[in-house]
Amino acid sequence: NAGVMQNPRHLVRRRGQEARLRCSPMKGHSHVYWYRQLPEEGLKFMVYLQKENIIDESGMPKERFSAEFPKEGPSILRIQQVVRGDSAAYFCASSREAQGKLFFGSGTQLSVL
Amino acid sequence: KQEVTQIPAALSVPEGENLVLNCSFTDSAIYNLQWFRQDPGKGLTSLLLIQSSQREQTSGRLNASLDKSSGRSTLYIAASQPGDSATYLCAVLYSGSARQLTFGSGTQLTVLP
């Protein structure tokens, strides 16, 4: 049973470009969460999705950031017009139930030049 | 404000020693509390999850306790090994917070051979 798969592991973008981060949850998991870990800071919640629905996006910046979890395929976190402050590790997690144990992926390290 | 605090920020012990990591939270209304370990450049591995109605959970050399009334949890590691070296994160799912885990900033543990 493969774990939560995130790709790419490392992503380098120049200011103004778009970043697309992908997450495939564990088999049988329909709840997906995105967290961000800024340098020298703890993990912060961004968004919670179920298939085709955004349930809670209260932790996601209102501009430039969007997330989706389509019926088929991985969850996507999209950051438009990236800035240096977006440089961070972005972690995806999934769970079988809404308040169940979370399983995390290895993260995507985004570096904005 | 619902927060999670971990003390100490860093801990170094000789191999074989038993140790305790501390986590405190500001609101006793929680669904559950989860302990993770994070290795450098990698994702989070779930160690133990304690439901609100439970007092402790055990897995191998690890034991986690929960005291909601005092807002505290401890992670006890018996007979520490160099392979235990990692950052240990405590995360709380507060009631009413939808599905957002609130993370502490972690304790960086080094076990010296």
Side-chain angles (χ1 to χ4, degrees), chain A residues 35-71:
Chain A
Y35 285 79
R36 176 166 67 173
Q37 188 173 36
L38 293 166
E40 307 303 322
E41 293 188 19
L43 279 89
K44 303 293 184 189
F45 168 83
M46 298 184 73
V47 62
Y48 161 51
L49 312 99
Q50 290 183 39
K51 280 290 186 182
E52 301 185 271
N53 291 304
I54 296 174
I55 307 302
D56 181 356
E57 57 182 347
S58 59
M60 199 154 67
K62 295 289 188 292
E63 298 179 354
R64 301 188 299 107
F65 286 72
S66 62
E68 62 178 17
F69 188 16
K71 187 176 180 180

Side-chain angles (χ1 to χ4, degrees), chain B residues 51-71:
Chain B
Q51 299 292 352
S52 174
S53 58
Q54 297 175 322
R55 295 297 300 264
E56 67 176 349
Q57 282 287 330
T58 298
S59 176
R61 294 182 293 109
L62 305 179
N63 176 276
S65 68
L66 175 64
D67 184 343
K68 284 195 306 179
S69 61
S70 65

